[in-house]
Amino acid sequence: SQQGEEDPQALSIQEGENATMNCSYKTSINNLQWYRQNSGRGLVHLILIRSNEREKHSGRLRVTLDTSKKSSSLLITASRAADTASYFCATADTGRRALTFGSGTRLQVQP
Amino acid sequence: NAGVTQTPKFQVLKTGQSMTLQCAQDMNHNSMYWYRQDPGMGLRLIYYSASEGTTDKGEVPNGYNVSRLNKREFSLRLESAAPSQTSVYFCASSVLSAGGPSDTQYFGPGTRLTVL
């Protein structure tokens, strides 16, 4: 079963705009991670936020986590064509030694 | 430092054939994982090995077997391939300290398997 569910499933924006993706999950977690997958490639880790953190930044990425609502968001600022990819959230569920991935958001950045 | 490598990159099988997917990591990670990804979907965990000498089932283990050959290598075997196993298979590894929560995973490039 998919723990994290991303919203929207697909997003198309212009270069320079911001992109926001949301992830909801169901169980108690230790951390939540975001990954990027370029077409035909493996996943690449972007950022990890722990359950006791509310916000984290890495370059043009900003991640928030609301454990009371069991949700997270990923914001990519000043997007570039190279940001075109699928983005997945993954939860490290309490008591489980493996990640659970969502179904992903496909982001298209138009030049 | 190659990271996580997988062989082969592509494979076509006939129903009932068997094959082994190979995965190796050179990052001295404790844990290794096998996932499958079907079109338009996220990753589903098949099996994982939290440490050398241990393996555990994930969400979709039926039809697969695994071997943690040593700390570096983790193989996935399909004993009798079925069309439903057509998918892209990813191997991943992570540090995963003893008793710790799942941490950052590093992925290989994937194996694209078609079962006719």
Side-chain angles (χ1 to χ4, degrees):
Chain A
S1 62
Q2 301 286 322
Q3 156 79 314
E5 294 297 331
E6 285 92 337
D7 171 57
Q9 290 186 329
L11 180 61
S12 182
I13 60 174
Q14 298 293 318
E15 233 177 1
E17 294 180 338
N18 295 341
T20 299
M21 289 158 261
N22 302 296
C23 170
S24 60
Y25 58 92
K26 298 173 184 173
T27 62
S28 177
I29 63 171
N30 285 305
N31 65 66
L32 185 144
Q33 303 174 32
W34 286 90
Y35 288 79
R36 184 186 72 219
Q37 184 181 34
N38 290 89
S39 180
R41 308 292 289 273
L43 277 72
V44 174
H45 180 261
L46 294 176
I47 196 165
L48 181 153
I49 185 165
R50 292 183 170 75
S51 59
N52 61 354
E53 297 175 311
R54 292 295 166 259
E55 187 170 312
K56 203 161 183 180
H57 296 253
S58 177
R60 294 185 295 112
L61 305 180
R62 182 173 78 99
V63 170
T64 62
L65 179 64
D66 187 335
T67 53
S68 66
K69 294 182 179 177
K70 290 187 167 57
S71 68
S72 173
S73 68
L74 171 67
L75 169 67
I76 304 173
T77 60
S79 62
R80 306 165 181 167
D83 295 327
T84 294
S86 291
Y87 292 81
F88 295 89
C89 69
T91 52
D93 308 335
T94 304
R96 188 163 179 265
R97 308 196 77 198
L99 294 176
T100 305
F101 284 83
S103 52
T105 292
R106 293 185 304 280
L107 174 65
Q108 177 77 42
V109 181
Q110 308 285 354
Chain B
N1 193 340
V4 179
T5 57
Q6 292 183 236
T7 56
K9 288 187 169 54
F10 300 93
Q11 184 71 48
V12 179
L13 293 177
K14 294 181 180 178
T15 297
Q17 288 185 317
S18 62
M19 78 161 296
T20 300
L21 281 65
Q22 307 286 354
C23 174
Q25 52 92 8
D26 62 3
M27 295 174 283
N28 201 35
H29 285 170
N30 294 317
S31 296
M32 298 184 73
Y33 310 82
W34 276 106
Y35 296 91
R36 61 176 288 173
Q37 184 178 34
D38 298 310
M41 295 184 67
L43 276 68
R44 291 185 292 169
L45 182 66
I46 304 172
Y47 271 94
Y48 68 102
S49 171
S51 61
E52 190 178 353
T54 68
T55 59
D56 287 284
K57 295 179 180 179
E59 295 175 68
V60 289
N62 291 344
Y64 306 95
N65 284 301
V66 291
S67 295
R68 183 73 182 268
L69 304 170
N70 48 55
K71 192 170 186 180
R72 289 187 65 248
E73 299 172 289
F74 189 38
S75 63
L76 178 72
R77 183 161 178 83
L78 287 69
E79 291 291 351
S80 179
S84 60
Q85 294 178 305
T86 293
S87 190
V88 181
Y89 291 84
F90 289 100
C91 177
S93 70
S94 71
V95 174
L96 190 61
S97 55
S102 298
D103 54 0
T104 300
Q105 293 189 9
Y106 297 82
F107 284 81
T111 294
R112 282 149 186 77
L113 175 67
T114 300
V115 183
L116 302 174

